[in-house]
């Protein structure tokens, strides 16, 4: 059975949770490979409506091992809250595993995320303020504390003592904030460790054994390609790689071990937070999309910026992810629009360009060049076969396939599990 990476191909919020929830019944393992509780994966299934932040969207299938992988950062308080909420709704979490290599979001990360954002004033990134950037910065600075360290209280105290001294100096001397108490943070994290101990494991062995058995594995991405720190709209990005390559690292499966990469795109674009978005619609059409699709952040509740599909950005996403197929979600949101636009190139300082510039400042100056298509103005929410879609909807999807050079394997026409068109078997 295959290893498939399911990755966000735009600015996040593409509907990866729904796609993973849908595909998870066909596999034995789901590994969330990057990000932290900045992610918000909405899953609507027969058990209920759920908003997951850290727990893989495969959790609703008791036979699926769900791993929070080595490439993630975990705020233990938020994870415990998520586990409790699921258990409260009778969802079993005994098949959840936390990689002992995953890094922890610490109280100073949360404080610093807020303080750093405030110090950026007009140039704020618009982070989710979940401490994600500071936690990943500490990981590469070798100042991070990993989930496995919660299991050895003495070693934890030693590391925390020296790290906290350094963090308190930054909090007090640079930001004039109050220092954190070593005793309080230590005791708090010891309690988290006791609560999570049964879930924390060495995961490379678990994944190796699953692969030896030939189990199907889904690598579940968070955020989207255009928030990647290398290829996204830097510095308006997140801090870990949402790309399939990030899946390889964050799950611990070498690149040759990934058989397929499914890129999840919305049928239009959205973005939360600051940074350039060439096709943003600050008009009635943008508002109409936002209201119809309820485009408000799952994690922060912020209104999402909405715009037309950007095929230039999608081309880059295809390239850097090595997509083998696309899942196009929320096609039904476009049902009542009389005319649709797809951005096929940008105009930059009087020239036409067909690539996504590396600099956010340059991208800010890019004006979208649109191709117009007639809308279908018909309800697609009950359609289950590609051939049954309205002609104009088929044309829209086919044009996206042509522009991105990637086949649409899956099309979603509503939030429920069954509202999908599987054009080609995904696995
Ligand atoms: P951070 O990941 O909280 O540091 O936020 C950095 C940027 O990524 C901000 O623009 C956030 O709005 C954006 N971001 C982070 N997580 C998500 C997500 O799950 N969906 C959409 N945008 C996100």
């Amino acid at each position: 059975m295959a290893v498939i990476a399911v990755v966000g191909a735009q600015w996040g919020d593409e509907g990866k949770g729904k796609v993973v929830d849908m595909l998870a019944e066909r596999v034995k393992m789901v590994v969330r490979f990057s990000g932290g509780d900045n992610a918000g994966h909405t899953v609507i299934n027969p058990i209920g409506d759920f908003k997951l932040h850290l727990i893989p969207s495969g959790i609703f299938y008791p036979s699926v091992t769900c791993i929070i992988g080595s490439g993630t950062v975990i705020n233990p308080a938020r994870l415990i809250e998520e586990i409790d909420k699921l258990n409260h709704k009778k969802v079993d979490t005994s098949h959840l595993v936390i990689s002992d290599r995953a890094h922890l979001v610490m109280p100073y990360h949360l404080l610093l995320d807020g303080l750093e954002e405030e110090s950026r004033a007009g140039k704020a990134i618009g982070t989710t303020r979940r401490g994600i950037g500071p936690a990943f910065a500490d990981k590469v600075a070798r100042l991070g504390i990993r989930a496995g360290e919660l299991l050895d209280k003495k070693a934890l105290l030693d590391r925390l003592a020296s790290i906290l001294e350094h963090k308190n100096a930054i909090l007090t001397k640079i930001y004039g904030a109050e220092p954190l108490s070593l005793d309080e943070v230590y005791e708090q994290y010891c309690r988290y460790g006791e609560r999570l101990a049964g879930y924390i494991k060495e995961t490379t062995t678990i994944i190796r054994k699953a692969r030896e058995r030939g189990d199907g594995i889904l690598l579940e991405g968070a955020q989207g390609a255009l928030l990647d720190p290398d290829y996204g709209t830097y510095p308006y990005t997140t801090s870990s790689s949402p790309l399939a390559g990030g899946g390889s690292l964050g799950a611990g499966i070498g690149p040759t071990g990934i058989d397929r990469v499914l890129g999840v795109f919305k049928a239009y674009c959205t973005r939360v937070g600051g940074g350039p978005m060439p096709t943003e619609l600050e008009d009635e059409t943008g508002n109409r999309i936002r209201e119809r699709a309820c485009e408000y952040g799952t994690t922060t509740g912020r209104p999402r910026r909405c715009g037309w599909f950007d095929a230039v950005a999608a081309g880059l996403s295809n390239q850097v992810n090595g997509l083998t197929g696309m899942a196009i979600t929320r096609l039904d949101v476009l049902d009542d629009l009389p005319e649709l636009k797809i951005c096929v190139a940008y105009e930059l300082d009087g020239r036409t360009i067909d690539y996504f510039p590396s600099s956010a400042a340059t991208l800010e100056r890019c004006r979208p060049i649109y191709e117009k298509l007639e809308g279908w103005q018909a309800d697609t929410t009950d359609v289950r076969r590609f051939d049954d879609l309205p002609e104009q909807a088929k044309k829209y999807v086919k044009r996206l396939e042509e522009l991105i050079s990637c086949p649409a394997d899956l099309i979603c026409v509503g939030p429920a599990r069954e509202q999908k068109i599987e054009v080609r078997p995904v696995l």
Side-chain angles (χ1 to χ4, degrees), residues 138-417:
D138 274 359
K139 170 178 169 171
V140 290
R142 289 151 300 182
L143 288 172
I145 297 179
R146 307 205 288 184
E149 291 178 78
L150 291 177
L151 306 180
D152 181 344
K153 289 185 183 174
K154 174 156 184 339
L156 174 67
L157 182 60
D158 286 351
R159 290 215 60 231
L160 186 60
S162 68
I163 293 169
L164 198 58
E165 199 181 319
H166 172 81
K167 294 294 168 187
N168 274 340
I170 297 174
L171 284 171
T172 55
K173 293 185 188 154
I174 298 187
Y175 293 106
E178 290 296 313
L180 289 165
S181 144
L182 174 62
D183 287 348
E184 279 175 28
V185 177
Y186 174 65
E187 273 158 32
Q188 189 183 31
Y189 275 68
C190 283
R191 282 198 299 277
Y192 294 149
E194 284 159 18
R195 176 70 207 278
L196 295 174
Y199 295 105
I200 301 173
K201 296 186 181 142
E202 201 292 305
T203 50
T204 62
T205 317
I206 299 174
I207 293 174
R208 177 173 53 76
K209 286 188 180 155
R211 295 193 62 213
E212 282 166 4
R213 284 193 300 269
D215 290 352
I217 302 177
L218 286 181
L219 306 184
E220 178 178 9
Q223 290 85 42
L226 306 174
L227 289 172
D228 179 74
D230 288 303
Y231 296 99
T233 49
Y234 191 84
Y236 299 95
T237 60
T238 191
S239 305
S240 60
S241 177
L243 306 177
S248 170
L249 287 172
I253 296 180
T256 50
I258 299 180
D259 301 288
R260 269 178 256 164
V261 182
L262 184 67
V264 187
F265 293 87
K266 264 181 199 163
Y268 47 93
C269 275
T270 64
R271 170 164 209 174
V272 238
M277 177 182 173
T279 64
E280 181 172 10
L281 289 167
E282 289 175 286
D283 61 6
E284 205 28 56
T285 309
N287 293 339
R288 206 161 146 182
I289 293 175
R290 184 178 309 105
E291 294 316 314
R292 161 137 196 180
C294 197
E295 291 289 2
Y296 293 88
T298 315
T299 302
T300 57
R302 290 178 290 178
R304 295 182 184 138
R305 300 154 66 190
C306 299
W308 296 120
F309 192 96
D310 186 337
V312 181
L316 174 72
S317 183
N318 179 21
Q319 180 185 336
V320 295
N321 273 306
L323 301 183
T324 57
M326 298 191 277
I328 299 177
T329 62
R330 299 198 155 200
L331 187 71
D332 56 299
V333 168
L334 305 180
D335 278 357
D336 59 359
L337 295 177
E339 182 184 71
L340 304 171
K341 292 182 187 171
I342 303 173
C343 170
V344 293
Y346 301 136
E347 193 219 294
L348 173 65
D349 305 334
R351 290 181 300 125
T352 299
I353 61 165
D354 62 359
Y355 63 89
F356 194 78
S358 59
S359 134
T362 308
L363 195 58
E364 287 284 8
R365 296 204 310 280
C366 285
R367 298 286 156 257
I369 298 176
Y370 287 121
E371 192 173 289
K372 290 182 190 166
L373 280 89
E374 215 180 292
W376 46 93
Q377 297 194 282
D379 184 5
T380 57
T381 54
D382 291 326
V383 178
R384 300 290 176 267
R385 292 177 43 221
F386 186 78
D387 288 343
D388 296 338
L389 278 172
E391 275 317 305
Q392 289 305 325
K394 283 190 233 171
K395 271 195 190 155
Y396 185 71
V397 171
K398 287 198 166 133
R399 188 65 186 128
L400 294 185
E401 290 184 317
E402 264 168 29
L403 287 165
I404 305 165
S405 303
C406 188
D409 290 344
L410 188 69
I411 299 167
C412 296
V413 287
R417 216 181 239 175

Side-chain angles (χ1 to χ4, degrees), residues 105-131:
V105 174
M106 304 298 291
Y108 41 83
H109 293 140
L110 293 163
L111 290 174
L112 288 168
D113 200 359
L115 292 165
E116 285 167 10
E117 275 290 85
E118 274 145 37
S119 73
R120 289 181 192 116
K123 296 258 185 272
I125 290 166
T127 74
T128 57
R129 301 200 179 207
R130 295 294 155 101

